[in-house]
Amino acid sequence: MGSFGKRELLVISVLLMLMIVIGCSNDPASGEDKPDGNNDTDNVVYFDEIKIMAPTFETTAPPADNEWEQATEELTGKKVNMNWVPNVSYEDRMNVTLASNDIPEVMVITGKTPGFLNSAEAGAFWELTDYLDDYQYLGQYNEDILRNASVNGRVYGIYRERDVMRSTAIIRKDWLEHLGLDVPESVDELYDVLHAFTFDDPNNTGADDTHGLIIPTWYGSLDTLSIWFGAPNVWGVEDGTFVPAFETEAYREALDWTKHIVDQGLVNPDFTTLSPDDWNNAMFNGAGGVIIDTYSRAMQVNNLFVDEAGSDDSDQYYVEITGTLRAPNGEEYGHPTDGYAGFLAIPKTSVQTEEELHEILSFLDVLCSPEGINLLNHGIEGVNYQLDDEGYLVPLETEEAQALNPYTMEQISMFGDGMHRMKAEGELPQKRYQLMEDNGNYAVFNEAAPLVSEVYSTRGTQLDDIIEDARVQYIAGQIDESGWEAAVELWYSSGGQELVDELTQLYDEMN
Amino acid sequence: MKALLLQKANKQLPRKTFVEIVKQMWLRDKWLYVLLIPGVLYFLVFRYAPMYGIIIAFKNYVPYLGITESSWVGLDHFTAFFSSPDFLRLLGNTLWISFLSIAIAFPAPIFLAILLNEVRFALYKKFVQTCIYIPHFLSWTIVVGLTHLLFSINGGVIVEMVETIFGIRINFLAEPEWFRPMIILQGIWKGTGWGTIIFLAALANVSSEQYEAAIVDGAGRFRRIWHITLPAIRGTVVIMLILTMGNVLSTGFDQIFLMTNSLNRSVADVFDTYVYNVGITRGSYSYSTAVGLFKSIVGIILILTTDFIAKKVDKESGLF
Amino acid sequence: MSDMHKLHNTKPGRVFDLINVIFLAVAAIVTLLPFIYVVAGSFATESELARRAFFIIPETFTLEAYRYIFTSEAFIRSIVITIGVTAVGTAVQLFFTFTMAYPLAKRALRGRKLLINIVIFAMLFSGGMIPTFLVVQGLGLIDTYWALILPNAINPFNLIIIKNFFQNFSVELEESAKIDGASEIGIFWRIVLPLSKPIIATFALFYAVAIWNDFMSPLLYLNDSSKWTLQLLLRQVTISSDPNALGNLDPDYVPPAEGMKLAIIVIATLPIMMVYPFLQKHFAKGLLIGSVKG
């Protein structure tokens, strides 16, 4: 009884075929009709309104036609129609939008995700490589970042600039002071601090209840350490061939250094399971005294101490930041980001001709002007902020400003000069800006950042996991040197060698 | 009974024309067919109309191009999946977790529902019911966070307790042999209370007269459970089991993903996390659809097989 | 009934009762405590949340998070929307499911097996996110609340279980009603449904919870952010610990305060958790089904 009879199968297959027919007619017609009447005159306006799809991190998405949006419209002379999408599943929403027949003129792309790459390769977006130089502000891009954000040298979007230098060690100031230690400047000095934090009772409890470094299951700390030791940033190039970082001497040195501090008990014993969500708390609670991560995390941890102390003295701070630490050989190497967080792309379905493209790019050009970039990031002068006599930005705290703040347009901000800066209030932020500037000279960039590899997009996660797992197992003492070698071998035979070859070839083609 | 006889009688009649059969069906059951209309429409429009999407398993689907324009790749995605060196390990891990959860987590709500049914103070019963179903509403992120709190090697309460009692320090979260027990334990904690609801609904149909009659006959507690409670929920248990079999290859993503780390990955990787890594993060809808299709085919075979066995054991049970 | 119990309150019976009560109490505490922590945490300060791993009474009591939530127009609006969509959606989905389940329970109905096969097939195979989106778009449902209700109007899993419940329904009862001249719809409406209260209550709960917790439908089908539901807001604040968002976060992203997250979790779960206790009274009222089986 309980199985498909012939009749059922027949009916289901007929249904399926019917659906295929219906479905195909459902597919979006490529290309909508555009009301673009007379093409030849110069003053033709193609878009009365520009629709922009962008992610939002706010719990309450900005309402349509709020003041901030209106100010943007006023500045650009274009009606703006923002389509805010919750960031969580932005990728899904992007793909659904591309599959539908309702495509915005500008789409924020959060990164070189496969969904984006597939569509870009299929010709979904304008290639902007040869256009940007024609515009006053868009033409002032940073060449390195533009290259990093490109797809094998082809530019499919205008990057959203981010700070390049972010990595630092974050150290509990009270512990340093209690033990009379200086802020470390090299990895060797860091070791001494970790040792003292573990064994010299930095919290003054008389008990052996502290550790030095806190590592969670997100192993960015180990990447930063290996770069401080002088390893390449993910990929290096030697004699024209790509070399994965983990194959270098410096990487192994960093690995053994880490294993050594783990063996000595200078690292939290649950480093194989500690959730990154509990990272800040572990430091705040005194489980350990050092974190290697970003300046933003330093601020977050500092805020926990501020919250507890209830003090509003802005010069009072609770964590020390170090920026880049010198390698044992005395050299300095910094761990940079790729310098961007996604980009703004222009779909060809909604923007069909070069003339139309020009109109959109002119619009984006205005957003990269000093007025534009300040408006998108800081809001309306006189409402959200004021400038003091020295030209520093002073945020306003009126009710009006606070109501408007969550409607920020910073998600569609690209790059540009002339951004107002806040006067660094307090020692910690000042120190941060100084370190960011100093460390910039020693940045070690990822040579493969612009390269998009076929092998990596199909097998990248497995390849990464092989090395990541072996690294943790090695540090935890579960595998020895031969186990590590075996993992590297496995990496090469699982597609790593093809990846090296492909990247080398792509690199040659691009240069 | 009458209806069944009627059906039998129909079969013995001489062959009728199609029109006559339709006419007879309509005359006898027209209101039943009218009732079916909204449901059938729903399935056609929202379930079957989109099903042409399954063909992307055989294509290299790019959303921008649409399904028609995307290129055919035949069985490439399937061969890539089956020939992956990890396939057997993934299959093994997936089946282990499914097997354990059917053997342990599936009966748990039945057991709990029976215990609740034995509680005589209505208010207490309601209170317990309300408490135990709360975990269903907490996300896996919270559940995994609490697990870390209790089982952390760095001061977790349970780790300390185990050490005091047994003298061994176990890293429950990292040791591969503890991965499956932890997953099942979390599943039981989160799902058991919610799972009892359906069985309690089935038990609501048992009249108290039946229990009273059994008591008069001198039946003890366990005989009452055995002869009244269990038969009352048997049909529901069987149907739930059959439907659960359809998901044998789906273990869920969030929980396993969050519990995986570098030390336990060898036992933690399952189809759902693998598809996420390869399919979704790599943006390949086609690949995930192909794996999904494989899972569905296995699922439907298992459902129909279980149904077949259930029918052999008890003619009245099962899907149809 | 109590006399009967007294009559047979044997010693092993009492031991069983005692163990049972204690076991259930432990189960209740183990499942309740974490939620109490979530509630307590939503009233605590950031530093306390960071310092104390687990607590059920906060040391310093703050209403900061709730003040923010309840002064935000968008929050109030999304609570109202979510309650409204859940209420209407549950009614609509119950209608679709029960009207289909009842005829499918009639073993003599022609075409029944075919339809059940179609349902089972749809339970396992689906066209996927994008084709479904295109259908919803084609029907003009984008940016309407119907898009959150209709695409999930029948859960095949629920349909099969309800159908099986109906299959056990007293045949004699229906036959006698038929002889009295009632039509099938009349029987369904006046006899079957009133006697199916526990089942209706159960599946009302299942559907209500599913709509309430649905995140994908509002994400895909609502462009207009003034129509957002609670789940979207909830995901927005818990984003940094969402496995789907890993590696996808803007480096400048600053996670919201922990207390705020917990407060939103409370707001987004408490109302739907209250549904069950209210439905429980219906669980004792269906008496007749099951007395005749098969």
Side-chain angles (χ1 to χ4, degrees):
Chain A
M1 264 180 106
S3 61
F4 284 102
K6 270 188 200 151
R7 200 172 39 142
E8 277 85 352
L9 278 179
L10 184 72
V11 174
I12 287 179
S13 35
V14 169
L15 272 176
L16 278 178
M17 288 193 357
L18 194 73
M19 296 325 149
I20 290 173
V21 176
I22 296 176
C24 292
S25 57
N26 248 341
D27 249 23
S30 43
E32 296 165 76
D33 294 322
K34 273 267 138 43
D36 59 352
N38 30 355
N39 257 337
D40 292 27
T41 35
D42 271 351
N43 295 331
V44 182
V45 174
Y46 298 95
F47 301 99
D48 296 326
E49 178 186 90
I50 294 180
K51 200 168 162 191
I52 306 175
M53 176 172 156
T56 172
F57 289 90
E58 304 292 329
T59 45
T60 53
D65 294 324
N66 63 72
E67 269 182 71
W68 204 320
E69 196 178 301
Q70 281 172 4
T72 314
E73 291 172 350
E74 222 165 276
L75 178 74
T76 57
K78 280 275 176 222
K79 180 104 182 69
V80 175
N81 179 356
M82 293 301 302
N83 181 6
W84 295 106
V85 175
N87 184 72
V88 199
S89 294
Y90 190 79
E91 176 86 6
D92 277 339
R93 189 52 189 277
M94 179 188 87
N95 283 319
V96 163
T97 304
L98 285 171
S100 77
N101 52 19
D102 186 18
I103 302 185
E105 279 81 49
V106 178
M107 283 173 96
V108 172
I109 305 292
T110 49
K112 280 188 254 178
T113 59
F116 162 73
L117 293 170
N118 286 339
S119 295
E121 268 160 39
F125 303 104
W126 282 92
E127 201 197 315
L128 304 171
T129 324
D130 301 327
Y131 293 102
L132 296 183
D133 286 326
D134 300 341
Y135 297 87
Q136 187 185 354
Y137 300 108
L138 288 178
Q140 292 172 19
Y141 51 81
N142 172 313
E143 241 168 85
D144 287 332
I145 301 178
L146 191 76
R147 208 173 90 113
N148 280 349
S150 75
V151 177
N152 300 328
R154 296 187 300 275
V155 176
Y156 285 110
I158 303 161
Y159 65 85
R160 301 190 299 172
E161 189 169 13
R162 291 295 181 270
D163 294 333
V164 174
M165 300 312 296
R166 289 173 178 275
S167 296
T168 178
I170 307 160
I171 307 176
R172 275 184 74 135
K173 192 161 164 258
D174 55 338
W175 287 14
L176 282 177
E177 281 163 5
H178 178 70
L179 298 176
L181 295 166
D182 289 330
V183 179
E185 288 178 357
S186 68
V187 174
D188 289 336
E189 288 171 26
L190 177 69
Y191 176 83
D192 296 335
V193 169
L194 297 181
H195 197 274
F197 276 8
T198 307
F199 297 111
D200 298 348
D201 194 18
N203 54 356
N204 214 10
T205 55
D208 181 16
D209 56 357
T210 54
H211 297 281
L213 186 63
I214 312 167
I215 305 179
T217 51
W218 182 78
Y219 297 105
S221 302
L222 302 185
D223 295 332
T224 303
L225 265 173
S226 68
I227 290 167
W228 287 352
F229 269 83
N233 186 348
V234 192
W235 289 98
V237 180
E238 263 172 39
D239 309 328
T241 308
F242 266 70
V243 180
F246 59 81
E247 280 280 73
T248 61
E249 197 66 32
Y251 186 95
R252 292 296 304 275
E253 209 184 316
L255 196 63
D256 284 326
W257 187 86
T258 316
K259 183 173 165 48
H260 183 62
I261 60 170
V262 168
D263 287 347
Q264 284 196 306
L266 312 188
V267 175
N268 57 311
D270 57 349
F271 76 96
T272 56
T273 57
L274 179 71
S275 157
D277 271 355
D278 299 327
W279 206 356
N280 297 353
N281 296 352
M283 181 155 183
F284 179 67
N285 290 325
V290 182
I291 282 175
I292 298 177
D293 197 43
T294 61
Y295 294 111
S296 336
R297 188 170 298 281
M299 297 303 166
Q300 288 168 25
V301 178
N302 192 54
N303 285 343
L304 285 174
F305 285 103
V306 172
D307 185 51
E308 175 150 278
S311 127
D312 50 5
D313 177 3
S314 60
D315 275 335
Q316 182 76 15
Y317 65 103
Y318 302 86
V319 294
E320 284 289 0
I321 46 179
T322 64
T324 301
L325 293 179
R326 278 197 318 279
N329 65 13
E331 295 290 325
E332 187 166 344
Y333 309 98
H335 183 191
T337 65
D338 287 337
Y340 73 97
F343 27 80
L344 272 67
I346 304 170
K348 280 185 172 169
T349 318
S350 46
V351 179
Q352 291 177 333
T353 62
E354 282 206 335
E355 290 77 23
E356 290 178 13
L357 177 67
H358 173 67
E359 193 170 318
I360 301 292
L361 285 175
S362 311
F363 165 78
L364 295 178
D365 194 44
V366 180
L367 296 182
C368 288
S369 68
E371 297 79 27
I373 196 138
N374 278 309
L375 174 64
L376 296 181
N377 285 284
H378 302 311
I380 305 160
E381 188 174 351
V383 179
N384 296 84
Y385 68 92
Q386 278 176 340
L387 295 179
D388 68 9
D389 301 338
E390 296 165 88
Y392 282 115
L393 179 139
V394 185
L396 290 174
E397 277 167 22
T398 60
E399 225 162 83
E400 196 188 0
Q402 274 171 358
L404 206 52
N405 281 339
Y407 302 156
T408 175
M409 304 280 281
E410 68 190 355
Q411 286 298 321
I412 60 165
S413 154
M414 292 151 281
F415 54 82
D417 292 330
M419 177 115 97
H420 301 314
R421 268 174 68 166
M422 258 203 283
K423 189 170 185 176
E425 294 269 353
E427 267 181 57
L428 191 61
Q430 272 170 20
K431 204 168 168 182
R432 172 186 173 174
Y433 286 128
Q434 192 58 50
L435 284 168
M436 277 163 69
E437 215 173 300
D438 295 348
N439 291 166
N441 305 327
Y442 306 101
V444 179
F445 285 101
N446 177 1
E447 295 288 349
L451 304 181
V452 170
S453 138
E454 177 83 37
V455 177
Y456 191 79
S457 46
T458 50
R459 273 171 283 175
T461 315
Q462 285 102 311
L463 288 174
D464 289 348
D465 281 349
I466 290 173
I467 296 302
E468 173 103 344
D469 292 354
R471 174 161 74 169
V472 174
Q473 286 164 5
Y474 182 78
I475 292 170
Q478 294 205 341
I479 57 172
D480 56 10
E481 222 149 296
S482 63
W484 168 260
E485 300 295 346
V488 172
E489 207 47 52
L490 179 66
W491 185 86
Y492 277 110
S493 64
S494 307
Q497 187 56 52
E498 292 158 67
L499 180 57
V500 169
D501 296 343
E502 193 188 356
L503 288 177
T504 307
Q505 195 194 340
L506 286 170
Y507 188 74
D508 286 345
E509 281 166 16
M510 195 176 75
N511 295 333
Chain B
M1 290 307 281
K2 227 177 196 171
L4 275 173
L5 284 176
L6 238 155
Q7 194 188 29
K8 273 197 186 130
N10 273 347
K11 275 188 185 152
Q12 281 153 11
L13 288 174
R15 283 182 77 89
K16 292 178 179 176
T17 64
F18 183 69
V19 180
E20 273 173 322
I21 293 176
V22 171
K23 209 168 152 188
Q24 191 198 1
M25 277 164 59
W26 177 250
L27 278 178
R28 200 190 53 183
D29 291 327
K30 63 181 167 214
W31 294 116
L32 289 178
Y33 288 112
V34 168
L35 281 177
L36 278 172
I37 292 172
V40 171
L41 272 179
Y42 164 77
F43 275 96
L44 287 182
V45 173
F46 288 104
R47 295 276 181 168
Y48 280 84
M51 258 187 214
Y52 68 94
I54 290 175
I55 50 178
I56 69 172
F58 308 97
K59 289 195 156 206
N60 217 345
Y61 178 56
V62 178
Y64 166 72
L65 293 177
I67 289 173
T68 353
E69 294 294 313
S70 297
S71 56
W72 288 99
V73 297
L75 293 174
D76 278 10
H77 297 303
F78 293 92
T79 22
F81 177 54
F82 292 127
S83 64
S84 143
D86 296 324
F87 178 76
L88 284 177
R89 187 172 59 92
L90 293 167
L91 182 69
N93 287 343
T94 310
L95 288 178
W96 253 113
I97 289 175
S98 286
F99 168 76
L100 288 174
S101 77
I102 288 175
I104 302 168
F106 180 79
I110 303 170
F111 180 72
L112 197 58
I114 293 171
L115 290 185
L116 277 167
N117 194 50
E118 292 299 317
V119 173
R120 261 176 272 149
F121 320 103
L123 209 65
Y124 183 67
K125 184 176 160 186
K126 269 191 186 177
F127 169 74
V128 174
Q129 266 173 265
T130 309
C131 290
I132 58 173
Y133 106 130
I134 289 176
H136 174 78
F137 295 92
L138 299 177
S139 69
W140 279 117
T141 313
I142 296 182
V143 177
V144 172
L146 289 164
T147 311
H148 274 102
L149 192 69
L150 295 171
F151 291 90
S152 164
I153 192 76
N154 196 12
V157 185
I158 294 186
V159 174
E160 305 291 333
M161 259 166 54
V162 168
E163 193 177 19
T164 323
I165 300 170
F166 300 102
I168 39 168
R169 202 168 173 80
I170 302 172
N171 194 349
F172 292 97
L173 299 171
E175 286 174 24
E177 55 267 41
W178 280 99
F179 179 76
R180 288 171 192 139
M182 294 303 290
I183 293 288
I184 301 299
L185 201 67
Q186 286 177 330
I188 290 177
W189 183 79
K190 192 169 189 292
T192 303
W194 177 255
T196 57
I197 294 174
I198 187 85
F199 299 112
L200 289 170
L203 283 173
N205 296 324
V206 184
S207 65
S208 46
E209 284 90 356
Q210 286 183 59
Y211 285 106
E212 282 162 31
I215 293 169
V216 171
D217 289 347
R221 168 100 57 180
F222 294 101
R223 280 188 56 198
R224 272 177 277 153
I225 293 178
W226 187 256
H227 289 291
I228 304 171
T229 313
L230 278 176
I233 55 174
R234 189 177 60 181
T236 312
V237 170
V238 171
I239 197 79
M240 294 293 282
L241 184 65
I242 294 172
L243 296 178
T244 308
M245 292 305 286
N247 292 326
V248 156
L249 295 186
S250 308
T251 46
F253 165 73
D254 285 22
Q255 178 195 14
I256 294 196
F257 185 84
L258 289 166
M259 287 295 286
T260 304
N261 57 51
S262 289
L263 300 188
N264 65 18
R265 200 186 308 276
S266 58
V267 296
D269 268 346
V270 291
F271 286 136
D272 288 344
T273 49
Y274 173 81
V275 166
Y276 172 81
N277 281 339
V278 179
I280 316 238
T281 61
R282 300 290 154 226
S284 168
Y285 285 103
S286 288
Y287 194 81
S288 356
T289 309
V291 178
L293 198 56
F294 162 70
K295 281 167 43 181
S296 301
I297 290 168
V298 172
I300 206 149
I301 291 171
L302 286 174
I303 282 192
L304 296 177
T305 314
T306 322
D307 183 58
F308 181 78
I309 297 169
K311 279 229 169 54
K312 285 273 172 227
V313 178
D314 173 7
K315 266 192 71 148
E316 292 297 328
S317 70
L319 288 170
F320 291 89
Chain C
M1 184 172 168
S2 53
D3 285 346
M4 292 286 181
H5 275 295
K6 245 178 242 161
L7 204 67
H8 288 267
N9 232 344
T10 55
K11 204 178 166 199
R14 260 174 306 176
V15 173
F16 176 91
D17 276 338
L18 186 69
I19 294 175
N20 192 17
V21 164
I22 293 172
F23 175 81
L24 291 175
V26 171
I29 291 168
V30 166
T31 44
L32 185 61
L33 274 182
F35 187 71
I36 293 185
Y37 165 70
V38 172
V39 176
S42 68
F43 291 106
T45 59
E46 283 307 287
S47 52
E48 184 173 356
L49 279 165
R51 187 162 37 77
R52 302 175 70 190
F54 188 90
F55 55 90
I56 53 175
I57 299 165
E59 281 166 1
T60 30
F61 194 81
T62 164
L63 284 168
E64 191 71 30
Y66 289 98
R67 192 173 300 131
Y68 172 78
I69 292 174
F70 286 112
T71 51
S72 152
E73 200 191 312
F75 260 102
I76 309 278
R77 192 175 50 220
S78 78
I79 292 173
V80 173
I81 289 171
T82 311
I83 292 175
V85 170
T86 304
V88 176
T90 304
V92 170
Q93 298 186 346
L94 283 177
F95 170 80
F96 271 87
T97 313
F98 275 78
T99 52
M100 189 168 186
Y102 180 67
L104 289 184
K106 301 282 173 187
R107 292 182 189 235
L109 188 77
R110 279 190 175 256
R112 169 181 172 274
K113 267 191 67 186
L114 168 69
L115 286 171
I116 295 176
N117 275 323
I118 286 181
V119 170
I120 295 171
F121 188 81
M123 181 165 65
L124 285 154
F125 294 86
S126 89
M129 181 180 76
I130 294 177
T132 310
F133 175 87
L134 294 175
V135 167
V136 173
Q137 192 184 43
L139 293 170
L141 295 178
I142 297 295
D143 265 338
T144 69
Y145 296 123
W146 290 111
L148 313 185
I149 296 170
L150 293 179
N152 304 315
I154 298 180
N155 177 336
F157 195 96
N158 293 353
L159 180 69
I160 300 272
I161 296 172
I162 297 168
K163 175 198 77 82
N164 269 45
F165 268 114
F166 282 149
Q167 245 159 253
N168 294 339
F169 219 86
S170 162
V171 178
E172 281 86 354
L173 198 70
E174 292 180 31
E175 290 299 314
S176 61
K178 218 170 200 172
I179 291 162
D180 289 345
S183 72
E184 284 285 4
I185 289 188
I187 296 172
F188 175 62
W189 189 251
R190 290 205 308 273
I191 297 173
V192 177
L193 281 187
L195 287 174
S196 310
K197 273 192 183 162
I199 300 155
I200 298 176
T202 306
F203 288 93
L205 177 71
F206 285 3
Y207 276 127
V209 169
I211 300 174
W212 187 278
N213 287 340
D214 188 7
F215 160 72
M216 261 340 244
S217 307
L219 175 85
L220 292 176
Y221 305 140
L222 298 180
N223 290 325
D224 181 353
S225 56
S226 68
K227 294 197 169 90
W228 280 12
T229 61
L230 270 178
Q231 285 304 316
L232 287 180
L233 305 190
L234 178 66
R235 291 291 185 109
Q236 284 289 83
V237 285
T238 50
I239 190 173
S240 59
S241 41
D242 192 312
N244 293 302
L246 285 180
N248 187 18
L249 276 181
D250 192 317
D252 277 342
Y253 173 68
V254 182
E258 196 64 28
M260 175 68 78
K261 278 192 207 171
L262 296 178
I264 292 174
I265 291 173
V266 172
I267 302 278
T269 48
L270 209 52
I272 192 70
M273 274 186 337
M274 306 297 281
V275 171
Y276 188 44
F278 283 107
L279 286 177
Q280 269 173 346
K281 64 168 185 260
H282 296 292
F283 280 63
K285 284 186 181 165
L287 292 173
L288 283 159
I289 325 173
S291 52
V292 182
K293 189 175 171 284

